[in-house]
mmCIF file of all heavy atoms in Angstrom:
data_model
loop_
_atom_site.group_PDB
_atom_site.id
_atom_site.type_symbol
_atom_site.label_atom_id
_atom_site.label_comp_id
_atom_site.label_asym_id
_atom_site.label_seq_id
_atom_site.Cartn_x
_atom_site.Cartn_y
_atom_site.Cartn_z
ATOM 1 N N VAL A 14 -6.879 17.872 -4.814
ATOM 2 C CA VAL A 14 -5.689 17.023 -4.682
ATOM 3 C C VAL A 14 -5.760 16.265 -3.357
ATOM 4 O O VAL A 14 -5.970 16.864 -2.296
ATOM 5 C CB VAL A 14 -4.383 17.862 -4.734
ATOM 6 C CG1 VAL A 14 -3.167 16.969 -4.519
ATOM 7 C CG2 VAL A 14 -4.261 18.591 -6.064
ATOM 8 N N TYR A 15 -5.594 14.946 -3.435
ATOM 9 C CA TYR A 15 -5.632 14.107 -2.232
ATOM 10 C C TYR A 15 -4.333 13.332 -2.070
ATOM 11 O O TYR A 15 -3.615 13.090 -3.042
ATOM 12 C CB TYR A 15 -6.808 13.113 -2.311
ATOM 13 C CG TYR A 15 -8.123 13.756 -1.947
ATOM 14 C CD1 TYR A 15 -8.809 14.519 -2.885
ATOM 15 C CD2 TYR A 15 -8.660 13.631 -0.673
ATOM 16 C CE1 TYR A 15 -10.006 15.139 -2.561
ATOM 17 C CE2 TYR A 15 -9.860 14.244 -0.335
ATOM 18 C CZ TYR A 15 -10.528 14.997 -1.282
ATOM 19 O OH TYR A 15 -11.698 15.617 -0.943
ATOM 20 N N ASP A 16 -4.085 12.958 -0.836
ATOM 21 C CA ASP A 16 -2.950 12.093 -0.503
ATOM 22 C C ASP A 16 -3.523 10.687 -0.397
ATOM 23 O O ASP A 16 -4.348 10.404 0.464
ATOM 24 C CB ASP A 16 -2.362 12.565 0.841
ATOM 25 C CG ASP A 16 -1.237 11.673 1.341
ATOM 26 O OD1 ASP A 16 -1.461 10.448 1.479
ATOM 27 O OD2 ASP A 16 -0.154 12.181 1.638
ATOM 28 N N ILE A 17 -3.109 9.806 -1.299
ATOM 29 C CA ILE A 17 -3.605 8.415 -1.301
ATOM 30 C C ILE A 17 -2.452 7.499 -0.910
ATOM 31 O O ILE A 17 -1.372 7.556 -1.504
ATOM 32 C CB ILE A 17 -4.095 8.009 -2.714
ATOM 33 C CG1 ILE A 17 -5.212 8.942 -3.204
ATOM 34 C CG2 ILE A 17 -4.525 6.541 -2.744
ATOM 35 C CD1 ILE A 17 -6.589 8.624 -2.717
ATOM 36 N N SER A 18 -2.670 6.660 0.114
ATOM 37 C CA SER A 18 -1.573 5.786 0.579
ATOM 38 C C SER A 18 -2.082 4.394 0.933
ATOM 39 O O SER A 18 -3.286 4.179 1.073
ATOM 40 C CB SER A 18 -0.898 6.408 1.806
ATOM 41 O OG SER A 18 -1.823 6.468 2.885
ATOM 42 N N ASN A 19 -1.127 3.473 1.089
ATOM 43 C CA ASN A 19 -1.478 2.121 1.537
ATOM 44 C C ASN A 19 -1.942 2.183 2.986
ATOM 45 O O ASN A 19 -1.400 2.932 3.790
ATOM 46 C CB ASN A 19 -0.276 1.173 1.422
ATOM 47 C CG ASN A 19 0.908 1.625 2.266
ATOM 48 O OD1 ASN A 19 1.411 2.742 2.103
ATOM 49 N ND2 ASN A 19 1.358 0.788 3.191
ATOM 50 N N LYS A 20 -2.931 1.397 3.322
ATOM 51 C CA LYS A 20 -3.478 1.428 4.681
ATOM 52 C C LYS A 20 -2.811 0.382 5.567
ATOM 53 O O LYS A 20 -2.626 0.588 6.752
ATOM 54 C CB LYS A 20 -4.978 1.148 4.593
ATOM 55 C CG LYS A 20 -5.774 1.777 5.711
ATOM 56 C CD LYS A 20 -7.251 1.693 5.397
ATOM 57 C CE LYS A 20 -8.057 2.340 6.503
ATOM 58 N NZ LYS A 20 -9.478 2.296 6.190
ATOM 59 N N ARG A 21 -2.478 -0.765 4.972
ATOM 60 C CA ARG A 21 -1.982 -1.885 5.796
ATOM 61 C C ARG A 21 -0.456 -1.855 5.912
ATOM 62 O O ARG A 21 0.248 -1.644 4.929
ATOM 63 C CB ARG A 21 -2.426 -3.216 5.178
ATOM 64 C CG ARG A 21 -3.939 -3.323 5.057
ATOM 65 C CD ARG A 21 -4.403 -4.734 4.897
ATOM 66 N NE ARG A 21 -3.783 -5.419 3.767
ATOM 67 C CZ ARG A 21 -3.676 -6.755 3.670
ATOM 68 N NH1 ARG A 21 -4.117 -7.519 4.641
ATOM 69 N NH2 ARG A 21 -3.127 -7.291 2.608
ATOM 70 N N ARG A 22 0.039 -2.061 7.130
ATOM 71 C CA ARG A 22 1.485 -2.129 7.332
ATOM 72 C C ARG A 22 1.937 -3.414 8.008
ATOM 73 O O ARG A 22 3.091 -3.758 7.994
ATOM 74 C CB ARG A 22 1.957 -0.980 8.226
ATOM 75 C CG ARG A 22 1.396 0.351 7.878
ATOM 76 C CD ARG A 22 2.221 1.478 8.444
ATOM 77 N NE ARG A 22 1.458 2.665 8.732
ATOM 78 C CZ ARG A 22 0.802 3.368 7.827
ATOM 79 N NH1 ARG A 22 0.810 2.997 6.571
ATOM 80 N NH2 ARG A 22 0.123 4.442 8.173
ATOM 81 N N LEU A 23 0.987 -4.093 8.651
ATOM 82 C CA LEU A 23 1.326 -5.274 9.452
ATOM 83 C C LEU A 23 0.798 -6.543 8.792
ATOM 84 O O LEU A 23 -0.310 -6.553 8.259
ATOM 85 C CB LEU A 23 0.709 -5.129 10.852
ATOM 86 C CG LEU A 23 0.982 -6.253 11.845
ATOM 87 C CD1 LEU A 23 2.445 -6.272 12.261
ATOM 88 C CD2 LEU A 23 0.104 -6.115 13.085
ATOM 89 N N GLY A 24 1.608 -7.617 8.816
ATOM 90 C CA GLY A 24 1.141 -8.903 8.309
ATOM 91 C C GLY A 24 1.366 -9.099 6.822
ATOM 92 O O GLY A 24 0.864 -10.042 6.225
ATOM 93 N N LEU A 25 2.126 -8.181 6.207
ATOM 94 C CA LEU A 25 2.453 -8.329 4.787
ATOM 95 C C LEU A 25 3.864 -7.805 4.570
ATOM 96 O O LEU A 25 4.401 -7.087 5.414
ATOM 97 C CB LEU A 25 1.429 -7.604 3.902
ATOM 98 C CG LEU A 25 1.408 -6.071 3.841
ATOM 99 C CD1 LEU A 25 0.388 -5.615 2.793
ATOM 100 C CD2 LEU A 25 1.103 -5.408 5.150
ATOM 101 N N THR A 26 4.482 -8.180 3.458
ATOM 102 C CA THR A 26 5.857 -7.727 3.210
ATOM 103 C C THR A 26 5.841 -6.302 2.648
ATOM 104 O O THR A 26 4.801 -5.800 2.212
ATOM 105 C CB THR A 26 6.571 -8.629 2.179
ATOM 106 O OG1 THR A 26 5.894 -8.482 0.914
ATOM 107 C CG2 THR A 26 6.581 -10.085 2.602
ATOM 108 N N GLU A 27 7.009 -5.688 2.631
ATOM 109 C CA GLU A 27 7.153 -4.347 2.039
ATOM 110 C C GLU A 27 6.705 -4.363 0.580
ATOM 111 O O GLU A 27 6.029 -3.443 0.120
ATOM 112 C CB GLU A 27 8.620 -3.886 2.120
ATOM 113 C CG GLU A 27 9.104 -3.536 3.499
ATOM 114 C CD GLU A 27 9.456 -4.731 4.381
ATOM 115 O OE1 GLU A 27 9.362 -5.901 3.924
ATOM 116 O OE2 GLU A 27 9.826 -4.490 5.541
ATOM 117 N N PHE A 28 7.089 -5.425 -0.120
ATOM 118 C CA PHE A 28 6.744 -5.526 -1.543
ATOM 119 C C PHE A 28 5.225 -5.629 -1.725
ATOM 120 O O PHE A 28 4.652 -5.008 -2.613
ATOM 121 C CB PHE A 28 7.452 -6.735 -2.171
ATOM 122 C CG PHE A 28 7.323 -6.794 -3.671
ATOM 123 C CD1 PHE A 28 7.736 -5.732 -4.455
ATOM 124 C CD2 PHE A 28 6.786 -7.917 -4.306
ATOM 125 C CE1 PHE A 28 7.618 -5.772 -5.857
ATOM 126 C CE2 PHE A 28 6.664 -7.969 -5.689
ATOM 127 C CZ PHE A 28 7.087 -6.893 -6.464
ATOM 128 N N GLU A 29 4.574 -6.398 -0.839
ATOM 129 C CA GLU A 29 3.110 -6.514 -0.927
ATOM 130 C C GLU A 29 2.439 -5.171 -0.610
ATOM 131 O O GLU A 29 1.447 -4.797 -1.234
ATOM 132 C CB GLU A 29 2.608 -7.598 0.038
ATOM 133 C CG GLU A 29 2.911 -9.003 -0.444
ATOM 134 C CD GLU A 29 2.718 -10.074 0.624
ATOM 135 O OE1 GLU A 29 2.771 -9.764 1.827
ATOM 136 O OE2 GLU A 29 2.528 -11.235 0.235
ATOM 137 N N ALA A 30 3.006 -4.436 0.352
ATOM 138 C CA ALA A 30 2.434 -3.130 0.720
ATOM 139 C C ALA A 30 2.542 -2.146 -0.446
ATOM 140 O O ALA A 30 1.596 -1.410 -0.753
ATOM 141 C CB ALA A 30 3.140 -2.570 1.952
ATOM 142 N N ILE A 31 3.691 -2.158 -1.110
ATOM 143 C CA ILE A 31 3.888 -1.221 -2.225
ATOM 144 C C ILE A 31 2.982 -1.603 -3.404
ATOM 145 O O ILE A 31 2.437 -0.744 -4.096
ATOM 146 C CB ILE A 31 5.389 -1.140 -2.639
ATOM 147 C CG1 ILE A 31 5.694 0.243 -3.257
ATOM 148 C CG2 ILE A 31 5.813 -2.186 -3.634
ATOM 149 C CD1 ILE A 31 6.071 1.291 -2.294
ATOM 150 N N GLN A 32 2.782 -2.910 -3.597
ATOM 151 C CA GLN A 32 1.896 -3.364 -4.683
ATOM 152 C C GLN A 32 0.441 -2.994 -4.383
ATOM 153 O O GLN A 32 -0.319 -2.649 -5.290
ATOM 154 C CB GLN A 32 2.010 -4.891 -4.867
ATOM 155 C CG GLN A 32 3.324 -5.351 -5.475
ATOM 156 C CD GLN A 32 3.448 -5.037 -6.960
ATOM 157 O OE1 GLN A 32 2.912 -4.048 -7.455
ATOM 158 N NE2 GLN A 32 4.181 -5.855 -7.688
ATOM 159 N N GLU A 33 0.066 -3.050 -3.118
ATOM 160 C CA GLU A 33 -1.301 -2.683 -2.739
ATOM 161 C C GLU A 33 -1.555 -1.209 -3.041
ATOM 162 O O GLU A 33 -2.597 -0.824 -3.557
ATOM 163 C CB GLU A 33 -1.509 -2.950 -1.233
ATOM 164 C CG GLU A 33 -2.700 -3.821 -0.998
ATOM 165 C CD GLU A 33 -2.823 -4.374 0.414
ATOM 166 O OE1 GLU A 33 -2.696 -3.626 1.397
ATOM 167 O OE2 GLU A 33 -3.067 -5.589 0.531
ATOM 168 N N MET A 34 -0.559 -0.386 -2.695
ATOM 169 C CA MET A 34 -0.679 1.046 -2.969
ATOM 170 C C MET A 34 -0.730 1.286 -4.485
ATOM 171 O O MET A 34 -1.565 2.030 -4.991
ATOM 172 C CB MET A 34 0.510 1.773 -2.333
ATOM 173 C CG MET A 34 0.599 3.249 -2.649
ATOM 174 S SD MET A 34 1.665 3.542 -4.099
ATOM 175 C CE MET A 34 1.984 5.288 -3.947
ATOM 176 N N ARG A 35 0.163 0.619 -5.226
ATOM 177 C CA ARG A 35 0.218 0.811 -6.682
ATOM 178 C C ARG A 35 -1.121 0.445 -7.338
ATOM 179 O O ARG A 35 -1.679 1.222 -8.125
ATOM 180 C CB ARG A 35 1.307 -0.074 -7.285
ATOM 181 C CG ARG A 35 1.225 -0.145 -8.812
ATOM 182 C CD ARG A 35 2.201 -1.125 -9.400
ATOM 183 N NE ARG A 35 1.820 -2.504 -9.300
ATOM 184 C CZ ARG A 35 1.326 -3.239 -10.310
ATOM 185 N NH1 ARG A 35 1.144 -2.693 -11.487
ATOM 186 N NH2 ARG A 35 1.045 -4.501 -10.145
ATOM 187 N N LYS A 36 -1.643 -0.736 -6.992
ATOM 188 C CA LYS A 36 -2.908 -1.181 -7.606
ATOM 189 C C LYS A 36 -4.046 -0.241 -7.233
ATOM 190 O O LYS A 36 -4.913 0.065 -8.054
ATOM 191 C CB LYS A 36 -3.226 -2.612 -7.184
ATOM 192 C CG LYS A 36 -2.311 -3.612 -7.885
ATOM 193 C CD LYS A 36 -2.444 -5.012 -7.317
ATOM 194 C CE LYS A 36 -1.413 -5.941 -7.966
ATOM 195 N NZ LYS A 36 -1.076 -7.095 -7.134
ATOM 196 N N GLY A 37 -4.011 0.231 -5.979
ATOM 197 C CA GLY A 37 -5.042 1.170 -5.525
ATOM 198 C C GLY A 37 -5.006 2.459 -6.325
ATOM 199 O O GLY A 37 -6.042 2.964 -6.777
#
C-alpha cells in the first residue's frame, strides 16, 4: 500500500492540482 499524491502546489490552481492527482 502506497500513499500517492499530487507533487505540484505552486503555479497552478486548486482545481488543476486535484485534476493532476486524479489523472495520476
Side-chain angles (χ1 to χ4, degrees):
V14 177
Y15 280 80
D16 176 304
I17 302 277
S18 64
N19 60 302
K20 208 168 181 178
R21 301 199 304 157
R22 314 200 209 298
L23 181 69
L25 72 175
T26 65
E27 289 79 2
F28 189 56
E29 286 167 337
I31 208 88
Q32 289 287 31
E33 234 168 48
M34 174 267 196
R35 168 186 78 103
K36 287 170 185 156

